[in-house]
Amino acid sequence: MQQVRYGDYQITPAVQSLGRNRWNLLPRITGMEVTPLIAPEMFTTADPENQIVASSEAEAIKQCVELGKMIIDADLQLYP
């Protein structure tokens, strides 16, 4: 799994195939202290907000990284 640094955070993207080019995004986000802020267990396959349509696993992973960035940015806006 690739890991992406984003500011003081680290995003580890993971995706789960749901069939027919549908993917469930499961980002793991850790802070400076390497404590999980968002873990894949917090997402479920029943949550349609984290499901996407992508033509490949590589594309789904890129979108998972973008989801992680959006979560971090939203968290920073709420708790500056």
Side-chain angles (χ1 to χ4, degrees):
M1 260 187 239
Q2 71 181 34
Q3 296 178 341
V4 177
R5 300 259 333 136
Y6 187 67
D8 292 333
Y9 299 88
Q10 184 169 299
I11 303 167
T12 305
V15 296
Q16 177 184 33
S17 176
L18 300 174
R20 294 189 177 189
N21 293 332
R22 290 180 49 233
W23 301 87
N24 194 32
L25 305 181
L26 306 165
R28 178 184 174 95
I29 300 171
T30 54
M32 292 185 303
E33 299 173 9
V34 194
T35 55
L37 303 174
I38 302 291
E41 300 83 43
M42 295 178 182
F43 298 97
T44 66
T45 55
D47 189 358
E49 293 179 1
N50 299 320
Q51 294 179 12
I52 60 157
V53 174
S55 59
S56 67
E57 183 178 14
E59 182 182 334
I61 288 173
K62 287 180 187 177
Q63 291 189 32
C64 189
V65 170
E66 292 304 314
L67 174 62
K69 290 177 181 179
M70 289 187 333
I71 291 169
I72 291 168
D73 290 343
D75 186 55
L76 291 175
Q77 286 180 3
L78 290 176
Y79 307 102

Coordinates of all heavy atoms in Angstrom, one line a residue:
M1 N 0.8 -1.2 0.0 CA 0.0 0.0 0.0 C 0.9 1.3 0.0 O 1.8 1.3 0.7 CB -0.9 0.0 1.3 CG -2.3 -0.4 1.0 SD -3.2 -0.2 2.5 CE -3.7 -1.9 2.8
Q2 N 0.5 2.2 -0.8 CA 1.2 3.5 -0.8 C 0.7 4.3 0.3 O -0.4 4.2 0.8 CB 1.0 4.2 -2.1 CG -0.4 4.7 -2.3 CD -0.6 5.4 -3.6 OE1 0.0 5.0 -4.6 NE2 -1.4 6.4 -3.7
Q3 N 1.6 5.2 0.8 CA 1.3 6.2 1.8 C 1.6 7.6 1.3 O 2.6 7.8 0.6 CB 2.0 5.9 3.1 CG 1.7 4.6 3.7 CD 2.5 4.3 4.9 OE1 3.6 4.9 5.2 NE2 2.0 3.4 5.7
V4 N 0.7 8.5 1.5 CA 0.8 9.8 1.0 C 0.8 10.8 2.2 O 0.0 10.8 3.1 CB -0.4 10.2 0.1 CG1 -0.3 11.6 -0.4 CG2 -0.5 9.2 -1.1
R5 N 1.9 11.7 2.2 CA 1.9 12.7 3.2 C 1.1 13.9 2.8 O 1.2 14.3 1.6 CB 3.4 13.2 3.4 CG 4.3 12.1 3.9 CD 4.7 11.9 5.3 NE 4.8 13.0 6.2 CZ 4.3 12.9 7.4 NH1 3.8 11.8 7.8 NH2 4.5 13.9 8.3
Y6 N 0.3 14.5 3.7 CA -0.5 15.6 3.4 C -0.4 16.5 4.6 O -1.1 16.3 5.6 CB -1.9 15.2 3.1 CG -2.8 16.3 2.6 CD1 -2.6 16.9 1.4 CD2 -3.9 16.7 3.4 CE1 -3.4 17.9 0.9 CE2 -4.7 17.8 3.0 CZ -4.5 18.4 1.7 OH -5.3 19.4 1.3
G7 N 0.4 17.5 4.5 CA 0.7 18.4 5.7 C 1.3 17.6 6.8 O 2.3 16.9 6.6
D8 N 0.7 17.6 8.0 CA 1.2 16.9 9.1 C 0.5 15.5 9.3 O 0.6 14.9 10.3 CB 0.9 17.7 10.4 CG 1.8 18.9 10.5 OD1 2.9 18.9 9.9 OD2 1.4 19.9 11.2
Y9 N -0.1 15.1 8.2 CA -0.9 13.8 8.2 C -0.3 12.9 7.2 O 0.4 13.2 6.3 CB -2.4 14.1 7.9 CG -3.0 15.0 8.9 CD1 -3.0 16.4 8.7 CD2 -3.7 14.5 10.0 CE1 -3.6 17.2 9.7 CE2 -4.3 15.3 11.0 CZ -4.2 16.7 10.8 OH -4.8 17.5 11.7
Q10 N -0.7 11.6 7.4 CA -0.3 10.6 6.5 C -1.6 9.8 6.1 O -2.4 9.4 6.9 CB 0.6 9.6 7.1 CG 1.1 8.5 6.2 CD 2.3 7.8 6.8 OE1 3.3 8.4 7.1 NE2 2.1 6.5 7.0
I11 N -1.8 9.6 4.8 CA -3.0 8.9 4.3 C -2.5 7.6 3.7 O -1.6 7.6 2.9 CB -3.7 9.8 3.2 CG1 -4.1 11.1 3.7 CG2 -4.9 9.0 2.6 CD1 -4.5 12.1 2.6
T12 N -3.2 6.5 4.2 CA -2.9 5.2 3.6 C -4.2 4.8 2.9 O -5.2 4.5 3.6 CB -2.5 4.2 4.7 OG1 -1.4 4.7 5.4 CG2 -2.2 2.8 4.1
P13 N -4.2 4.9 1.6 CA -5.5 4.5 0.9 C -5.7 3.0 0.8 O -4.7 2.3 0.6 CB -5.3 5.2 -0.5 CG -3.8 5.1 -0.7 CD -3.2 5.3 0.6
A14 N -6.9 2.6 0.9 CA -7.3 1.2 0.6 C -8.6 1.2 -0.1 O -9.5 2.0 0.3 CB -7.3 0.4 1.9
V15 N -8.8 0.3 -1.0 CA -10.1 0.2 -1.7 C -10.5 -1.3 -1.6 O -9.7 -2.2 -1.5 CB -10.0 0.7 -3.1 CG1 -9.7 2.2 -3.2 CG2 -9.0 -0.1 -3.9
Q16 N -11.8 -1.4 -1.7 CA -12.4 -2.8 -1.7 C -13.4 -2.9 -2.9 O -14.2 -2.0 -3.1 CB -13.2 -3.0 -0.4 CG -14.0 -4.3 -0.3 CD -14.8 -4.3 0.9 OE1 -15.3 -3.3 1.4 NE2 -15.0 -5.5 1.5
S17 N -13.2 -3.8 -3.8 CA -14.0 -4.0 -4.9 C -15.4 -4.5 -4.5 O -15.5 -5.4 -3.8 CB -13.3 -5.0 -5.9 OG -14.2 -5.2 -7.0
L18 N -16.4 -3.8 -5.1 CA -17.8 -4.2 -4.9 C -18.4 -4.8 -6.2 O -19.5 -5.1 -6.3 CB -18.6 -3.0 -4.5 CG -18.1 -2.3 -3.2 CD1 -18.9 -1.1 -2.9 CD2 -18.2 -3.3 -2.0
G19 N -17.5 -5.0 -7.2 CA -17.9 -5.6 -8.5 C -18.4 -4.5 -9.4 O -18.8 -3.4 -9.1
R20 N -18.3 -4.8 -10.7 CA -18.8 -4.0 -11.8 C -18.2 -2.5 -11.7 O -19.0 -1.6 -11.8 CB -20.3 -3.9 -11.8 CG -20.9 -5.2 -12.2 CD -22.4 -5.1 -12.5 NE -22.9 -6.4 -12.9 CZ -24.1 -6.6 -13.3 NH1 -24.9 -5.6 -13.4 NH2 -24.4 -7.8 -13.7
N21 N -16.9 -2.4 -11.5 CA -16.2 -1.2 -11.4 C -16.7 -0.3 -10.3 O -16.5 0.9 -10.3 CB -16.3 -0.4 -12.7 CG -15.6 -1.0 -13.9 OD1 -14.6 -1.8 -13.7 ND2 -16.1 -0.8 -15.1
R22 N -17.3 -0.9 -9.3 CA -17.7 -0.1 -8.1 C -16.7 -0.4 -7.0 O -16.2 -1.6 -6.8 CB -19.1 -0.5 -7.6 CG -20.1 0.0 -8.6 CD -21.5 -0.4 -8.2 NE -21.8 -0.1 -6.8 CZ -22.3 -1.0 -5.9 NH1 -22.5 -2.2 -6.2 NH2 -22.5 -0.6 -4.7
W23 N -16.3 0.6 -6.2 CA -15.2 0.5 -5.2 C -15.7 1.2 -3.9 O -16.3 2.2 -4.0 CB -13.9 1.1 -5.7 CG -13.4 0.5 -7.0 CD1 -13.7 0.9 -8.2 CD2 -12.5 -0.6 -7.1 NE1 -13.1 0.1 -9.1 CE2 -12.3 -0.8 -8.4 CE3 -11.8 -1.3 -6.1 CZ2 -11.5 -1.8 -8.9 CZ3 -11.0 -2.3 -6.6 CH2 -10.8 -2.5 -8.0
N24 N -15.3 0.6 -2.8 CA -15.5 1.2 -1.5 C -14.2 1.8 -1.1 O -13.2 1.2 -1.1 CB -16.0 0.1 -0.5 CG -16.6 0.8 0.7 OD1 -17.2 1.8 0.7 ND2 -16.4 0.1 1.8
L25 N -14.2 3.1 -0.7 CA -13.0 3.8 -0.3 C -12.8 3.6 1.2 O -13.7 3.9 2.0 CB -13.1 5.3 -0.7 CG -13.4 5.6 -2.2 CD1 -13.4 7.1 -2.4 CD2 -12.4 4.9 -3.1
L26 N -11.6 3.2 1.6 CA -11.3 2.9 3.0 C -10.0 3.6 3.4 O -9.0 3.0 3.6 CB -11.2 1.4 3.2 CG -12.4 0.6 2.8 CD1 -12.0 -0.9 2.7 CD2 -13.5 0.8 3.7
P27 N -10.0 5.0 3.5 CA -8.7 5.6 3.9 C -8.4 5.5 5.3 O -9.3 5.4 6.2 CB -9.0 7.1 3.6 CG -10.5 7.2 3.8 CD -11.1 5.9 3.3
R28 N -7.1 5.4 5.6 CA -6.6 5.4 7.0 C -5.8 6.7 7.1 O -4.9 6.9 6.3 CB -5.8 4.2 7.3 CG -5.2 4.2 8.7 CD -4.3 3.0 8.9 NE -3.6 3.1 10.2 CZ -4.1 2.5 11.3 NH1 -5.2 1.8 11.3 NH2 -3.4 2.6 12.4
I29 N -6.2 7.5 8.1 CA -5.5 8.8 8.2 C -4.8 8.8 9.6 O -5.5 8.6 10.6 CB -6.5 10.0 8.1 CG1 -7.1 10.0 6.7 CG2 -5.7 11.3 8.3 CD1 -8.2 10.9 6.5
T30 N -3.5 9.1 9.7 CA -2.8 9.2 10.9 C -2.2 10.6 11.1 O -1.9 11.3 10.1 CB -1.7 8.2 11.1 OG1 -0.9 8.3 9.9 CG2 -2.3 6.8 11.1
G31 N -2.1 11.1 12.3 CA -1.6 12.4 12.6 C -0.1 12.3 12.9 O 0.6 11.3 12.7
M32 N 0.5 13.4 13.4 CA 1.9 13.5 13.7 C 2.3 12.4 14.7 O 3.4 11.9 14.6 CB 2.3 14.9 14.2 CG 2.1 15.9 13.2 SD 2.7 17.6 13.8 CE 1.7 17.8 15.3
E33 N 1.4 12.1 15.6 CA 1.8 11.1 16.6 C 1.5 9.6 16.2 O 1.5 8.7 17.0 CB 1.0 11.4 17.9 CG 1.3 12.8 18.5 CD 0.5 13.1 19.6 OE1 -0.3 12.3 20.1 OE2 0.5 14.3 20.1
V34 N 1.2 9.5 14.9 CA 0.9 8.2 14.3 C -0.3 7.5 15.0 O -0.3 6.3 15.0 CB 2.2 7.3 14.2 CG1 1.9 6.1 13.3 CG2 3.4 8.1 13.7
T35 N -1.1 8.2 15.6 CA -2.4 7.6 16.1 C -3.4 7.7 15.0 O -3.5 8.7 14.4 CB -2.8 8.4 17.4 OG1 -3.0 9.8 17.1 CG2 -1.9 8.2 18.5
P36 N -4.2 6.7 14.8 CA -5.2 6.7 13.8 C -6.3 7.7 14.1 O -6.9 7.7 15.1 CB -5.8 5.3 13.7 CG -5.0 4.5 14.6 CD -4.1 5.4 15.5
L37 N -6.5 8.6 13.2 CA -7.6 9.6 13.3 C -8.8 9.1 12.6 O -9.9 9.2 13.1 CB -7.2 10.9 12.7 CG -5.9 11.6 13.3 CD1 -5.5 12.8 12.5 CD2 -6.1 11.9 14.7
I38 N -8.6 8.5 11.4 CA -9.6 7.8 10.7 C -9.1 6.5 10.3 O -8.1 6.4 9.6 CB -10.0 8.6 9.4 CG1 -10.4 10.0 9.7 CG2 -11.0 7.9 8.6 CD1 -11.8 10.1 10.4
A39 N -9.8 5.4 10.6 CA -9.3 4.1 10.3 C -10.4 3.4 9.4 O -11.5 3.8 9.4 CB -9.2 3.2 11.6
P40 N -9.9 2.5 8.5 CA -10.8 1.8 7.6 C -12.1 1.2 8.3 O -13.1 1.1 7.7 CB -10.0 0.8 6.9 CG -8.6 1.2 7.1 CD -8.6 2.0 8.4
E41 N -11.9 0.8 9.5 CA -13.1 0.2 10.2 C -14.2 1.2 10.4 O -15.3 0.8 10.7 CB -12.6 -0.3 11.6 CG -11.5 -1.3 11.6 CD -10.2 -0.7 11.5 OE1 -9.9 0.3 12.1 OE2 -9.4 -1.2 10.7
M42 N -13.9 2.5 10.2 CA -15.0 3.5 10.4 C -15.9 3.6 9.2 O -16.9 4.2 9.2 CB -14.3 4.9 10.7 CG -13.6 4.9 12.0 SD -12.9 6.5 12.2 CE -12.0 6.3 13.8
F43 N -15.5 3.0 8.1 CA -16.3 3.0 6.9 C -16.9 1.6 6.7 O -16.3 0.6 7.0 CB -15.4 3.3 5.7 CG -14.8 4.7 5.8 CD1 -13.5 4.9 6.2 CD2 -15.5 5.8 5.4 CE1 -12.9 6.1 6.3 CE2 -15.0 7.1 5.5 CZ -13.7 7.2 5.9
T44 N -18.1 1.6 6.2 CA -18.8 0.3 5.9 C -19.1 0.3 4.4 O -19.3 1.3 3.8 CB -20.0 0.1 6.8 OG1 -21.0 1.1 6.3 CG2 -19.7 0.3 8.2
T45 N -19.3 -1.0 3.9 CA -19.7 -1.1 2.5 C -21.2 -0.6 2.3 O -21.6 -0.4 1.2 CB -19.6 -2.5 2.1 OG1 -20.3 -3.4 2.9 CG2 -18.1 -3.0 2.0
A46 N -21.9 -0.5 3.4 CA -23.3 -0.1 3.3 C -23.4 1.5 3.2 O -24.4 2.0 2.9 CB -24.1 -0.5 4.6
D47 N -22.3 2.2 3.4 CA -22.3 3.6 3.3 C -22.1 4.1 1.9 O -21.0 4.0 1.4 CB -21.2 4.2 4.2 CG -21.3 5.7 4.4 OD1 -22.2 6.3 3.7 OD2 -20.5 6.3 5.1
P48 N -23.1 4.5 1.2 CA -23.0 4.9 -0.2 C -22.1 6.1 -0.5 O -21.6 6.3 -1.6 CB -24.4 5.1 -0.7 CG -25.2 5.4 0.5 CD -24.5 4.7 1.6
E49 N -21.9 6.9 0.5 CA -21.1 8.1 0.4 C -19.6 7.8 0.1 O -18.9 8.6 -0.5 CB -21.1 9.0 1.6 CG -22.5 9.6 1.8 CD -22.6 10.4 3.1 OE1 -21.5 10.6 3.8 OE2 -23.6 11.0 3.4
N50 N -19.2 6.6 0.4 CA -17.8 6.2 0.2 C -17.6 5.2 -0.9 O -16.6 4.6 -1.1 CB -17.2 5.6 1.5 CG -17.2 6.6 2.6 OD1 -16.9 7.8 2.4 ND2 -17.6 6.2 3.8
Q51 N -18.7 5.0 -1.7 CA -18.6 4.2 -2.9 C -18.5 5.0 -4.1 O -19.1 6.0 -4.3 CB -19.9 3.3 -3.0 CG -20.0 2.3 -1.8 CD -21.2 1.5 -1.9 OE1 -21.9 1.5 -2.9 NE2 -21.6 0.8 -0.9
I52 N -17.6 4.5 -5.0 CA -17.4 5.3 -6.3 C -17.4 4.3 -7.5 O -17.4 3.1 -7.3 CB -16.1 6.0 -6.3 CG1 -14.9 5.0 -6.1 CG2 -16.0 7.1 -5.2 CD1 -13.6 5.5 -6.6
V53 N -17.5 4.8 -8.6 CA -17.3 4.0 -9.9 C -16.0 4.5 -10.5 O -15.8 5.7 -10.7 CB -18.5 4.3 -10.9 CG1 -18.2 3.6 -12.2 CG2 -19.8 3.9 -10.3
A54 N -15.1 3.5 -10.7 CA -13.8 3.8 -11.2 C -13.5 2.6 -12.2 O -13.8 1.5 -11.9 CB -12.8 3.9 -10.2
S55 N -12.8 3.0 -13.2 CA -12.4 1.9 -14.3 C -11.3 1.0 -13.8 O -11.1 -0.1 -14.4 CB -12.1 2.6 -15.6 OG -11.0 3.5 -15.4
S56 N -10.5 1.4 -12.8 CA -9.4 0.5 -12.3 C -9.2 0.7 -10.9 O -9.6 1.7 -10.3 CB -8.2 0.9 -13.1 OG -7.7 2.2 -12.8
E57 N -8.4 -0.2 -10.3 CA -8.1 -0.1 -8.9 C -7.2 1.1 -8.7 O -7.3 1.8 -7.7 CB -7.4 -1.3 -8.4 CG -7.0 -1.3 -6.9 CD -6.4 -2.6 -6.4 OE1 -6.0 -3.4 -7.3 OE2 -6.3 -2.8 -5.2
A58 N -6.3 1.4 -9.6 CA -5.4 2.6 -9.5 C -6.2 3.9 -9.4 O -5.9 4.8 -8.6 CB -4.4 2.6 -10.6
E59 N -7.2 4.0 -10.2 CA -8.0 5.2 -10.2 C -8.8 5.3 -8.9 O -8.9 6.4 -8.3 CB -9.0 5.2 -11.4 CG -9.9 6.4 -11.4 CD -10.9 6.4 -12.6 OE1 -10.7 5.6 -13.6 OE2 -11.9 7.0 -12.4
A60 N -9.3 4.2 -8.4 CA -10.0 4.2 -7.1 C -9.1 4.6 -6.0 O -9.5 5.3 -5.1 CB -10.6 2.8 -6.8
I61 N -7.8 4.1 -6.0 CA -6.8 4.5 -5.0 C -6.6 6.0 -5.0 O -6.5 6.7 -4.0 CB -5.5 3.7 -5.1 CG1 -5.8 2.2 -4.7 CG2 -4.4 4.3 -4.3 CD1 -4.7 1.3 -4.9
K62 N -6.5 6.6 -6.2 CA -6.3 8.0 -6.3 C -7.5 8.8 -5.7 O -7.3 9.8 -5.0 CB -6.1 8.4 -7.8 CG -4.8 8.1 -8.4 CD -4.7 8.5 -9.9 CE -3.5 8.0 -10.5 NZ -3.5 8.3 -12.0
Q63 N -8.7 8.3 -6.0 CA -9.8 8.9 -5.4 C -9.9 8.7 -3.9 O -10.4 9.6 -3.2 CB -11.1 8.4 -6.1 CG -11.2 8.9 -7.5 CD -12.5 8.6 -8.2 OE1 -13.5 8.6 -7.5 NE2 -12.5 8.3 -9.4
C64 N -9.4 7.6 -3.4 CA -9.3 7.4 -1.9 C -8.4 8.4 -1.3 O -8.7 8.9 -0.2 CB -8.9 6.0 -1.7 SG -9.0 5.5 0.0
V65 N -7.2 8.7 -1.9 CA -6.3 9.7 -1.4 C -7.0 11.1 -1.4 O -6.9 11.8 -0.4 CB -5.0 9.8 -2.3 CG1 -4.2 11.0 -1.9 CG2 -4.2 8.5 -2.1
E66 N -7.8 11.4 -2.4 CA -8.5 12.7 -2.5 C -9.5 12.8 -1.4 O -9.7 13.8 -0.8 CB -9.1 12.9 -3.9 CG -8.1 13.1 -5.0 CD -7.2 14.3 -4.7 OE1 -7.6 15.4 -4.3 OE2 -5.9 14.1 -4.9
L67 N -10.2 11.7 -1.1 CA -11.2 11.6 0.0 C -10.5 11.9 1.3 O -10.9 12.7 2.1 CB -11.9 10.3 0.1 CG -12.8 10.1 1.3 CD1 -14.0 11.1 1.3 CD2 -13.4 8.6 1.3
G68 N -9.3 11.3 1.5 CA -8.5 11.5 2.7 C -8.1 13.0 2.9 O -8.3 13.6 4.0
K69 N -7.8 13.6 1.8 CA -7.4 15.0 1.8 C -8.6 15.9 2.2 O -8.5 16.8 3.0 CB -6.8 15.5 0.5 CG -5.5 14.9 0.2 CD -5.0 15.4 -1.2 CE -3.6 14.8 -1.6 NZ -3.2 15.2 -2.9
M70 N -9.8 15.6 1.6 CA -11.0 16.3 2.0 C -11.4 16.2 3.4 O -11.8 17.1 4.1 CB -12.2 15.9 1.1 CG -12.0 16.3 -0.4 SD -13.4 16.0 -1.5 CE -14.2 14.6 -0.8
I71 N -11.2 15.0 4.0 CA -11.5 14.7 5.4 C -10.5 15.6 6.3 O -11.0 16.2 7.2 CB -11.4 13.2 5.7 CG1 -12.5 12.5 5.1 CG2 -11.4 13.0 7.2 CD1 -12.4 11.0 5.1
I72 N -9.3 15.6 5.9 CA -8.3 16.3 6.7 C -8.6 17.8 6.6 O -8.6 18.5 7.6 CB -6.9 16.1 6.2 CG1 -6.4 14.6 6.5 CG2 -5.9 17.1 6.7 CD1 -5.2 14.2 5.8
D73 N -8.9 18.3 5.4 CA -9.2 19.7 5.2 C -10.5 20.1 6.0 O -10.5 21.2 6.6 CB -9.4 20.1 3.7 CG -8.1 20.0 3.0 OD1 -7.0 20.1 3.6 OD2 -8.2 20.0 1.7
A74 N -11.5 19.3 6.0 CA -12.7 19.5 6.8 C -12.4 19.5 8.3 O -12.9 20.4 9.0 CB -13.8 18.5 6.4
D75 N -11.6 18.6 8.7 CA -11.2 18.6 10.1 C -10.5 19.8 10.5 O -10.7 20.4 11.6 CB -10.4 17.3 10.4 CG -10.1 17.1 11.9 OD1 -11.1 17.1 12.7 OD2 -8.9 17.0 12.3
L76 N -9.6 20.3 9.7 CA -8.8 21.5 10.0 C -9.7 22.8 10.0 O -9.4 23.7 10.8 CB -7.7 21.7 9.0 CG -6.5 20.7 9.1 CD1 -5.5 20.9 7.9 CD2 -5.8 20.7 10.4
Q77 N -10.8 22.8 9.2 CA -11.7 23.9 9.3 C -12.5 23.9 10.5 O -12.8 25.0 11.1 CB -12.6 23.9 8.0 CG -11.9 24.3 6.8 CD -12.8 24.2 5.6 OE1 -14.0 24.0 5.7 NE2 -12.2 24.5 4.4
L78 N -12.8 22.7 11.0 CA -13.6 22.6 12.2 C -12.8 22.9 13.5 O -13.2 23.4 14.5 CB -14.3 21.2 12.3 CG -15.4 21.0 11.4 CD1 -15.9 19.5 11.5 CD2 -16.6 21.9 11.6
Y79 N -11.5 22.4 13.5 CA -10.7 22.5 14.6 C -9.3 23.1 14.2 O -8.3 22.4 14.1 CB -10.4 21.1 15.2 CG -11.7 20.3 15.5 CD1 -12.2 19.3 14.7 CD2 -12.5 20.6 16.6 CE1 -13.3 18.6 14.9 CE2 -13.7 20.0 16.9 CZ -14.1 19.0 16.0 OH -15.3 18.3 16.3
P80 N -9.3 24.4 14.0 CA -8.0 25.0 13.5 C -6.9 25.0 14.6 O -7.1 24.9 15.7 CB -8.4 26.4 13.2 CG -9.8 26.7 13.7 CD -10.3 25.3 14.1

